[in-house]
Amino acid sequence: MLPIYVAYTHRKHWFPFVSAANDILREYGALLNLKQLAERETVMEDYELSTEIGYATAFLQKCTPHAVREIGFGFDKSTGKHSFLLHLKQLSYEQVGVAWRVWDGSILVSRWIYQNPEFFKNKTVLELGAGCGLCGLVASRVASKVALSDIGDEVIKTLRENVEINKAQLPKTNNVSVTSVDFKSNSFVPNPPYLKQQVDVILGSEIMYEVDITEALVKTVNMYLKPGGHFYGVSASYRKGAKIFVEGMKKLGYTVEHQLPGKQENYFNDGDDMLFYHCYGKK
């Protein structure tokens, strides 16, 4: 377990550690072995050991390919339980690139969405580069319509599966659509049809990786966002496209703020240097 904890401790530089460790973890079935170990009576009787196994299992679920990630919201200290849980299937980096997992940035934005439903109530919402679909699914609890978008057959398939997996938790999953939106395209996607009329809110978490993609992202946000609409997103500050996005949005006349509106409780992380984006003011 030492490589896992080393990777976890140094989160800004963890990807090479975890990427290499994943091959080993897959080969030896570490996640399954840990779960089986946790079910042993002698382990359950040892609080310290069972707690450590729980921590290790939770981290492996974050970084192990094809694991189902559990994300909780509304933690109640009196009961020790979350009031709202989502389960998201992940893929692998080798399979789909950066869209393979639930990134910390999307968790931060989804927590903010959960705490500030008034910004999404009865709104039409588009999540760009949705990956596993976390932010859009949380918004769908109160939004009128939500479109989860990305590119690639496997990513799109997994997005649809994640909608199905969470139907019991999301009473309004019939308002969620999955579609393919390529930032480099200059045409509206045909489905869902309401995207052609533009949307009230666009979400984007950790999608500013490269300069050319970010320049195309600026165009896409402007194309799909209604006048008076809002873009909410997050990116690690060291991403190549972070500054490009701000410059591009300002050139189009948007106001760009690095603080999300409303409540700001318990969703900031204590590791990576994250930049939040609130863009508005389209005429």
Side-chain angles (χ1 to χ4, degrees):
M1 288 301 105
L2 181 59
I4 299 303
Y5 285 110
V6 170
Y8 182 75
T9 304
H10 301 282
R11 284 194 295 174
K12 280 191 178 182
H13 310 286
W14 71 285
F15 190 78
F17 290 96
V18 174
S19 184
N22 277 340
D23 293 332
I24 300 171
L25 296 173
R26 270 201 304 272
E27 183 177 351
Y28 290 102
L31 187 59
L32 177 60
N33 289 335
L34 273 175
K35 288 183 176 180
Q36 291 174 342
L37 182 62
E39 294 171 356
R40 293 184 182 179
E41 187 175 346
T42 53
V43 172
M44 289 190 287
E45 292 173 351
D46 187 329
Y47 176 78
E48 185 175 344
L49 179 58
S50 62
T51 300
E52 287 298 317
I53 290 175
Y55 287 145
T57 300
F59 186 74
L60 284 176
Q61 287 176 328
K62 294 181 182 180
C63 69
T64 304
H66 307 294
V68 174
R69 181 85 181 270
E70 182 179 87
I71 310 293
F73 301 86
F75 183 73
D76 187 335
K77 292 182 180 179
S78 64
T79 63
K81 296 180 180 180
H82 291 93
S83 60
F84 175 57
L85 285 171
L86 288 177
H87 295 86
L88 300 170
K89 179 182 176 183
Q90 301 180 130
L91 294 168
S92 71
Y93 181 80
E94 294 82 2
Q95 195 175 10
V96 297
V98 295
W100 77 277
R101 59 163 293 197
V102 177
W103 293 97
D104 286 352
S106 64
I107 296 176
L108 300 183
V109 174
S110 65
R111 287 176 180 168
W112 171 78
I113 294 170
Y114 181 82
Q115 293 175 354
N116 295 274
E118 64 272 19
F119 297 119
F120 300 88
K121 189 172 183 179
N122 300 324
K123 304 289 187 182
T124 52
V125 178
L126 168 65
E127 182 176 7
L128 295 172
C132 299
L134 175 60
C135 295
L137 286 175
V138 176
S140 75
R141 297 171 68 242
V142 295
S144 63
K145 296 176 183 177
V146 173
L148 307 176
S149 72
D150 215 307
I151 57 172
D153 292 343
E154 282 300 320
V155 179
I156 296 299
K157 176 185 174 184
T158 302
L159 277 171
R160 291 195 174 105
E161 289 174 350
N162 284 339
V163 174
E164 289 297 315
I165 289 169
N166 292 285
K167 270 192 171 181
Q169 287 290 326
L170 297 168
K172 295 175 67 178
T173 48
N174 61 337
N175 71 345
V176 181
S177 303
V178 175
T179 189
S180 178
V181 173
D182 186 343
F183 298 168
K184 294 184 178 181
S185 173
N186 292 315
S187 303
F188 285 99
V189 295
N191 291 301
Y194 66 84
L195 291 181
K196 294 179 182 179
Q197 279 74 55
Q198 302 178 308
V199 296
D200 301 306
V201 176
I202 293 180
L203 298 169
S205 298
E206 292 283 27
I207 53 176
M208 303 169 193
Y209 282 89
E210 302 294 339
V211 172
D212 60 333
I213 293 297
T214 305
E215 290 173 344
L217 169 64
V218 170
K219 175 207 60 151
T220 302
V221 170
N222 190 56
M223 184 167 77
Y224 281 96
L225 192 63
K226 284 181 179 178
H230 296 261
F231 171 88
Y232 303 113
V234 68
S235 173
S237 62
Y238 52 82
R239 301 290 185 211
K240 293 180 181 179
K243 291 183 179 179
I244 300 296
F245 181 76
V246 174
E247 292 170 359
M249 294 300 284
K250 286 183 175 179
K251 282 182 181 178
L252 291 174
Y254 288 85
T255 297
V256 180
E257 297 178 351
H258 288 299
Q259 181 172 323
L260 300 180
K263 297 178 184 176
Q264 299 171 18
E265 302 170 2
N266 303 322
Y267 68 87
F268 290 103
N269 70 333
D270 57 0
D272 294 335
D273 182 13
M274 291 289 185
L275 283 177
F276 292 90
Y277 299 85
H278 176 205
C279 306
Y280 60 95
K282 178 180 179 179
K283 307 298 184 186

